[in-house]
Amino acid sequence: MADKKVRTRYAPSPTGSMHVGNLRTALYEFLIARSHGGTFILRIEDTDRERYVEGAVDLIYRTLAAAKITHDEGPDVGGDFGPYVQSERKDMYLPYAQKLIDEGKAYRCFCTKERLEQLHEDSVGGGYDRHCRDIPKEESDKMAAQGVPFVIRQKMPLEGSTTFEDEVYGTITVENSELQDQILIKTDGYPTYNFANVIDDHTMGITHVVRGSEYLSSTPKYNLLYEAFGWEKPKYIHLPLIMGKDSDGNISKLSKRHGSTSFEDLTSEGYLPEAIINYIALLGWCPKDNQEIFTMDELIKAFSIDGISKSPAIFDYDKLEWMNGEYLHKMSAEQFLELAAPYIRQAIPDGPVELNKVAAILQQRVTRLTQIPETVAFLYEQPEYDKELFVNKKSKTNLENAPGILEMVIDSLSALPSWDYDSIHDCLINLAKEKELKNGTVMWPARIAVSGKTVTPGGAIEILDILGREESLSRMKKGLKKLRA
Ligand code: GLU
């Protein structure tokens, strides 16, 4: 038999921000579909109205678009298996539950809330006692017709065990006696999540279900539903938990105290979507070689389910930062300029500034875009600084020689007919040569005077070029005054 066409789905609930764990699920579903030439579907699971957050659906679209995880079917792009929003499918489920009742695989449960609460209080974790499981069909039909409220429960086998193969965790077996007669349809006629996801996955032709390992224990119940209907089960791929490192070195489930945990918080901290996706791809999946930097196309080529590990993945912020730096350093100058410009403008809100020159001195020095404003703030306004900064052993500068050197620099640069990188460069190098000084001995006082900082993006020449003649000379004259005071 030919393999079925691969169809995967990402089925988020619109309950708020996009946690990196959810994004990883989406990414792996997407990669499995793409690497098999299959179809990737977006389904919005919005039936839990209590957890519904306004705007969360839009955030899902925005995040997937920014992460370049593109879906082939979904609420916004359509497809033959819609509707793709669970609340719009709400009338689809009851007939399936009714079919199970007719076949004796499910039953109406008329137990009142009070009875269930009492049961809950009395039982030692025994759960529902299957009180209504054997009500004769005629009686059940009659009560339903009389309008007695009911839920529909699945009849779980009372003996034996249920086994399934998870692609990551291997063989999982549970004793059927441990499985509750779970509710499929609530008193209001709407399905529970456990029922809806099975009906949706089957009717949408889903072949691979990827979800967090917290769903492992529910999967036998889902499989018993597939069996009750006589449907082919999907392949299951459960993903390990994402952990964070605590300050004491212990690990625990990733949470806000470890750092940002959502896509939007990470991007607002200056991480690039491509770097986040690249990093997340490796959280639980290991390529066959040691490659670490992957474009989306490379991920599609390299990804395979057997590379997914079941051991918990640790979210390492330092590693993410390193990776983000790699992306920033290796992109084209034009691309970097485009990304960096708004951050440069945060620090230099007005005035003419050659953004490309500022971007050029930053590109190899920042690992996150949000480092930019602080790094370039001195270009807009020179910070107060101490004259001790002019002292530098390596450059052989001290408070005695610095004033003289700075004065020579000011004189030579003032005489320059044109103010550009090459002219400034040649002027300062020639000055050093003429005076038999090390280049550094000339550059250091100039750099301190124009920046007021010992660590700057770019050296004296770049900064002088960016600041322009007037501002550069004015800053150097102030520096000289400071030295002579
Ligand atoms: N709506 C569920 C969630 O966001 C999806 C679980 C699943 O993948 O079936 O957790």
Side-chain angles (χ1 to χ4, degrees):
M1 192 179 86
D3 269 354
K4 255 172 109 178
K5 187 170 181 329
V6 168
R7 290 175 59 82
T8 66
R9 93 297 193 267
Y10 175 49
S13 304
T15 55
S17 58
M18 178 81 94
H19 186 270
V20 290
N22 292 337
L23 193 60
R24 182 184 59 172
T25 302
L27 176 64
Y28 286 13
E29 301 256 20
F30 168 80
L31 292 174
I32 292 169
R34 289 287 172 272
S35 60
H36 288 87
T39 303
F40 175 60
I41 295 142
L42 175 65
R43 178 172 80 224
I44 302 290
E45 299 199 326
D46 62 344
T47 39
D48 188 347
R49 298 316 284 185
E50 272 161 41
R51 291 176 61 222
Y52 184 84
V53 171
E54 208 53 59
V57 174
D58 278 340
L59 185 69
I60 292 168
Y61 289 134
R62 280 206 308 277
T63 305
L64 293 180
K68 299 205 164 60
I69 299 176
T70 48
H71 49 283
D72 309 304
E73 294 175 22
D76 52 343
V77 293
D80 295 338
F81 297 77
Y84 293 90
V85 178
Q86 217 163 41
S87 58
E88 293 168 20
R89 300 168 70 82
K90 59 188 189 304
D91 299 327
M92 284 183 50
Y93 307 102
L94 192 56
Y96 285 103
Q98 188 58 50
K99 183 168 186 285
L100 292 182
I101 295 183
D102 295 344
E103 293 172 4
K105 294 167 179 168
Y107 61 94
R108 296 188 193 93
C109 167
F110 299 94
C111 288
T112 59
K113 211 168 127 213
E114 293 69 33
R115 180 173 188 276
L116 293 174
E117 275 167 9
Q118 191 59 45
L119 195 65
H120 185 71
E121 249 168 60
D122 297 346
S123 81
V124 261
Y128 181 59
D129 61 358
R130 301 182 162 126
H131 182 74
C132 298
R133 184 167 160 133
D134 298 316
I135 296 179
K137 178 146 190 333
E138 303 71 50
E139 195 184 330
S140 169
D141 287 349
K142 207 167 112 199
M143 287 172 80
Q146 285 166 352
V148 184
F150 62 87
V151 300
I152 300 176
R153 290 184 186 269
Q154 185 184 0
K155 255 187 202 173
M156 292 296 183
L158 300 176
E159 285 154 8
S161 58
T162 300
T163 294
F164 75 98
E165 284 302 313
D166 183 81
E167 301 294 311
V168 177
Y169 286 79
T171 310
I172 308 273
T173 300
V174 295
E175 295 305 318
N176 290 336
S177 56
E178 286 170 19
L179 301 175
Q180 298 265 328
D181 282 0
Q182 63 173 338
I183 297 176
L184 306 179
I185 301 283
K186 298 179 273 188
T187 32
D188 58 9
Y190 292 134
T192 56
Y193 168 73
N194 283 346
F195 192 50
N197 93 86
V198 169
I199 304 299
D200 288 343
D201 284 344
H202 171 74
T203 53
M204 291 183 172
I206 301 302
T207 57
H208 295 66
V209 170
V210 182
R211 38 164 92 106
S213 57
E214 66 273 20
Y215 284 95
L216 259 182
S217 61
S218 299
T219 305
K221 294 191 259 186
Y222 303 153
N223 278 342
L224 286 167
L225 279 172
Y226 281 94
E227 278 168 22
F229 285 113
W231 292 340
E232 192 182 335
K233 293 169 206 134
K235 282 189 160 60
Y236 290 102
I237 296 141
H238 285 91
L239 303 181
L241 276 180
I242 300 179
M243 313 294 282
K245 214 183 215 130
D246 301 330
S247 48
D248 59 8
N250 288 331
I251 60 166
S252 57
K253 199 170 163 207
L254 186 70
S255 70
K256 289 238 167 72
R257 86 195 129 95
H258 297 114
S260 291
T261 57
S262 70
F263 180 80
E264 55 280 18
D265 285 350
L266 289 169
T267 49
S268 65
E269 278 182 20
Y271 292 106
L272 303 171
E274 304 89 292
I276 300 172
I277 285 299
N278 189 157
Y279 181 69
I280 282 178
L282 300 173
L283 266 184
W285 168 75
C286 197
K288 299 216 159 59
D289 55 20
N290 290 330
Q291 186 174 344
E292 287 190 297
I293 303 292
F294 286 90
T295 62
M296 193 60 107
D297 284 341
E298 289 169 336
L299 280 176
I300 292 169
K301 284 205 189 85
F303 193 81
S304 71
I305 296 170
D306 59 13
I308 301 175
S309 152
K310 63 181 171 195
S311 43
I314 297 180
F315 199 100
D316 179 345
Y317 289 90
D318 293 337
K319 183 80 191 247
L320 172 62
E321 177 133 7
W322 167 81
M323 200 171 261
N324 202 57
E326 291 295 292
Y327 275 83
L328 290 172
H329 305 162
K330 293 193 175 133
M331 66 178 50
S332 70
E334 293 72 36
Q335 215 182 337
F336 182 78
L337 171 61
E338 200 182 314
L339 291 171
Y343 292 90
I344 298 173
R345 277 296 179 202
Q346 276 176 31
I348 310 175
D350 50 58
V353 55
E354 289 176 280
L355 291 174
N356 59 330
K357 290 184 179 171
V358 182
I361 61 172
L362 287 168
Q363 186 167 1
Q364 298 307 318
R365 285 173 178 81
V366 293
T367 47
R368 268 187 294 129
L369 294 167
T370 41
Q371 295 161 342
I372 291 176
E374 203 203 324
T375 312
V376 298
F378 75 94
L379 293 172
Y380 189 65
E381 197 177 296
Q382 189 173 31
E384 271 309 315
Y385 65 100
D386 197 287
K387 69 174 173 187
E388 288 301 319
L389 299 194
F390 284 101
V391 182
N392 185 272
K393 216 165 153 195
K394 203 167 143 243
S395 305
K396 296 194 176 6
T397 54
N398 48 52
L399 292 180
E400 285 70 53
N401 66 4
I405 297 166
L406 195 54
E407 189 164 20
M408 289 187 303
V409 170
I410 293 170
D411 288 346
S412 310
L413 288 177
S414 302
L416 270 186
S418 78
W419 194 270
D420 55 67
Y421 181 91
D422 289 338
S423 311
I424 300 166
H425 172 272
D426 295 350
C427 169
L428 295 183
I429 298 296
N430 289 339
L431 180 67
K433 205 189 244 161
E434 208 177 282
K435 306 287 174 195
E436 293 181 354
L437 294 169
K438 281 174 53 162
N439 288 345
T441 314
V442 173
M443 302 294 178
W444 185 266
R447 183 147 73 98
I448 295 298
V450 289
S451 70
K453 296 173 76 167
T454 53
V455 180
T456 56
I461 304 167
E462 284 96 340
I463 297 169
L464 286 159
D465 181 28
I466 290 169
L467 287 176
R469 184 195 299 268
E470 204 185 320
E471 178 70 11
S472 296
L473 291 174
S474 142
R475 288 187 184 195
M476 285 193 290
K477 283 174 191 160
K478 268 193 217 135
L480 187 57
K481 218 163 145 194
K482 189 191 282 281
L483 277 166
R484 293 212 161 121

